């Protein structure tokens, strides 16, 4: 009888640990017991990570120009899956546009997906108004 109680307790601990690990993997929050250790590991990793060099705005302007011509090419082409290609090209253009605006200290909207036409227009207008061209 006592062995059965010990076995059930061990089994409950194992399943509890597995449930906690699954919650950690899906939700991103570690178990309460491991949080200090995880924070220390993240701080150690952040301290060892090199600081990336900023990309010069001239290179970002060249990339933006290349992506703008690619968007125009995809719009005029007759390739299969045109909608997916156009969406991917616009997302890449929006990402490069955000990077360029951040590099020259122009405010960037916090859109998770692509930018709306209005947001894109305002960012491009702000870049042109600040004297930048691509």
């Amino acid at each position: 009888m006592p062995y059965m109680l010990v076995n059930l307790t061990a089994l409950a601990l194992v399943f509890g640990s597995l449930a906690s690990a699954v919650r950690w993997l899906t939700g991103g929050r570690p178990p309460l017991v491991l949080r200090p250790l995880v924070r220390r590991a993240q701080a150690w990793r952040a301290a060892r990570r090199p600081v990336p060099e900023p990309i010069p705005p001239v290179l970002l302007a060249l990339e933006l120009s290349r992506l703008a011509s690619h968007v125009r090419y995809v719009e005029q082409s007759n390739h299969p899956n045109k909608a997916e290609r156009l969406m991917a090209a616009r997302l890449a253009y929006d990402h490069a546009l955000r990077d360029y605006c951040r590099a020259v200290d122009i405010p960037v909207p916090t859109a998770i997906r692509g930018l709306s036409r209005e947001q894109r227009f305002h960012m491009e207008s702000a870049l042109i108004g600040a004297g930048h061209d691509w």
Side-chain angles (χ1 to χ4, degrees):
M1 183 73 170
Y3 293 116
M4 195 159 103
L5 185 61
V6 169
N7 287 340
L8 286 176
T9 305
L11 191 61
L13 284 173
V14 167
F15 280 121
S17 299
L18 286 174
S20 183
V22 167
R23 269 183 296 210
W24 183 8
L25 290 174
T26 59
R29 293 195 59 180
L32 190 59
V33 176
L34 295 178
R35 285 184 193 159
L37 182 65
V38 169
R39 279 191 209 113
R40 275 190 238 131
Q42 288 172 342
W44 177 78
R45 196 174 97 207
R48 290 187 47 135
R49 183 175 293 158
V51 177
E53 289 186 29
I55 299 174
V58 173
L59 293 179
L60 292 171
L62 290 172
E63 180 67 7
L64 198 62
S65 174
R66 184 189 71 79
L67 287 169
S69 65
H70 182 68
V71 168
R72 285 190 297 272
Y73 170 76
V74 171
E75 285 174 342
Q76 296 168 357
S77 71
N78 249 350
H79 295 294
N81 302 327
K82 184 176 180 178
E84 288 86 3
R85 290 172 186 262
L86 188 58
M87 183 178 66
R90 284 187 181 148
L91 284 173
Y93 178 82
D94 292 345
H95 185 73
L97 184 62
R98 282 189 199 125
D99 287 345
Y100 191 22
C101 285
R102 281 188 201 106
V104 295
D105 296 328
I106 293 176
V108 177
T110 56
I112 295 173
R113 307 238 349 163
L115 300 169
S116 68
R117 288 181 180 176
E118 183 180 333
Q119 289 172 328
R120 195 176 299 121
F121 175 76
H122 287 302
M123 290 174 69
E124 290 170 343
S125 299
L127 280 171
I128 292 171
H132 299 281
D133 193 15
W134 59 95

